[in-house]
Amino acid sequence: MVTRFAPSPTGPLHLGHAYSALTIQTLGADGRVHLRIEDVDRTRSRAHHAAQIEDDLHWIGFRWDGAIRVQSEHRAEHEAALASLSARGLTYPCSCSRREIGDAGARIGAMGLVYPGTCRGRSMEDARPGDAIRLDIGRALAVAGDLPGFTEWGPLHSGKHAVEPAYLTRDIGDPVLIRRESGDIAYDLACPHDDAALGVNHVIRGADLWPNTPLHVLIQTLMDWPVPDYFHHELVTDQTGRRLAKVDRSKAIARYRDEGMSPKDLRAMLPPLPAIPWAP
Ligand code: GLU
């Protein structure tokens, strides 16, 4: 088993991250566990958050194998994956702002606004500086052919899942692969790329990313990357049942630590870690 914890250094770690890291550590105990810093969003990522994340992980007792994979150091590989999709006519440049997308009557889908396709059909040769690059999901589905399903081990959705083309076209739409203005590589391209590059065969992450998984399977299929098994764990909520947000500073792990809490006390605040589903 090869798995990974892949935090984004856009803020301090909170209890939800601690739960994720410890779940990964428990389920991956007999295999390899990588730490990947997902810093491709250059606008929001900060080196000091990455350093703090390492520190916090050490403190809660999370250990990883091998060197830390810093995602931004692999830009050339991400661009090569994008070029492969573009060479097959599956991408197009998009200059629409969020507001324009909203004004065009975009629906809210599983991952946010579903792009109404205003720029679809534009040629990559017409890309202007600052344009986003999107995947034409309809064409991508046509090229991919029969999609494999994936296995989910997590208790929330456990079982075999087919990837439904209708879900991708209706609830996801044409996803961004290169972000508008910043030119950053988008999560939905960098993540499946790096999972394949690291040989990850079990992705363990929060249920908030469940909607993205069919899209990742589509990209894996297009790129001939193996489809890992998935485990989406529950999200840690505060007393009001709201999802903990990174912006909720009062919940930063470092703050509990500064207040004198031990790693054991912190663990006691978390829901029970999931049991290993494949253990006899
Ligand atoms: N970087 C993502 C996050 O912090 C996690 C990505 C993943 O596990 O696939 O939410």
Side-chain angles (χ1 to χ4, degrees):
M1 175 169 177
V2 183
T3 188
R4 84 301 192 275
F5 178 53
S8 304
T10 53
L13 291 192
H14 56 61
L15 290 178
H17 291 107
Y19 183 70
S20 201
L22 295 172
T23 296
I24 289 164
Q25 174 134 304
T26 305
L27 299 180
D30 293 333
R32 280 182 74 74
V33 178
H34 293 287
L35 174 61
R36 180 166 85 221
I37 299 294
E38 296 210 320
D39 60 347
V40 279
D41 181 344
R42 289 173 294 192
T43 316
R44 296 170 59 228
S45 298
R46 298 284 177 273
H48 71 271
H49 288 313
Q52 180 77 52
I53 286 171
E54 260 186 76
D55 233 44
D56 289 346
L57 288 174
H58 267 299
W59 182 73
I60 62 168
F62 176 82
R63 300 286 174 266
W64 57 90
D65 295 301
I68 298 175
R69 184 173 174 103
V70 180
Q71 203 161 44
S72 60
E73 292 170 2
H74 299 272
R75 168 104 196 178
E77 293 160 53
H78 301 144
E79 281 179 0
L82 178 81
S84 155
L85 297 168
S86 298
R88 287 177 272 166
L90 304 182
T91 62
Y92 62 89
C94 171
S95 52
C96 297
S97 65
R98 231 188 119 70
R99 168 178 290 213
E100 285 166 336
I101 295 171
D103 289 349
R107 285 174 295 114
I108 307 276
M111 282 168 36
L113 287 178
V114 177
Y115 183 60
T118 319
C119 290
R120 192 183 301 133
R122 269 181 63 195
S123 154
M124 286 297 284
E125 278 146 34
D126 296 337
R128 292 187 287 264
D131 277 354
I133 305 293
R134 289 182 183 272
L135 180 71
D136 181 329
I137 204 104
R139 281 197 194 189
L141 284 164
V143 165
D146 282 342
L147 291 174
F150 64 94
T151 300
E152 167 70 30
W153 293 97
L156 300 177
H157 303 279
S158 82
K160 302 257 185 229
H161 294 270
V163 173
E164 302 292 349
Y167 167 78
L168 290 167
T169 49
R170 196 190 50 225
D171 288 310
I172 304 290
D174 295 351
V176 166
L177 301 178
I178 296 281
R179 297 164 78 103
R180 186 167 166 271
E181 286 175 356
S182 66
D184 289 342
I185 305 283
Y187 161 71
D188 291 305
L189 179 61
C191 168
H193 173 276
D194 283 20
D195 285 338
L198 287 170
V200 167
N201 53 23
H202 282 76
V203 170
I204 301 165
R205 60 186 177 195
D208 52 334
L209 290 165
W210 170 252
N212 301 58
T213 299
L215 172 60
H216 294 187
V217 174
L218 171 64
I219 292 175
Q220 285 149 359
T221 307
L222 290 167
M223 295 304 301
D224 234 348
W225 297 330
V227 177
D229 289 347
Y230 287 87
F231 188 113
H232 292 84
H233 60 72
E234 67 172 298
L235 300 176
V236 178
T237 52
D238 64 16
Q239 283 125 344
T240 62
R242 271 186 301 121
R243 216 189 111 195
L244 285 176
K246 254 180 269 196
V247 290
D248 189 349
R249 283 177 54 82
S250 64
K251 303 290 188 207
I253 291 172
R255 189 160 161 180
Y256 288 116
R257 179 181 171 178
D258 292 346
E259 286 167 1
M261 202 178 254
S262 73
K264 205 168 154 229
D265 298 333
L266 188 116
R267 282 175 188 233
M269 290 168 58
L270 299 172
L273 297 176
I276 300 176
W278 44 86

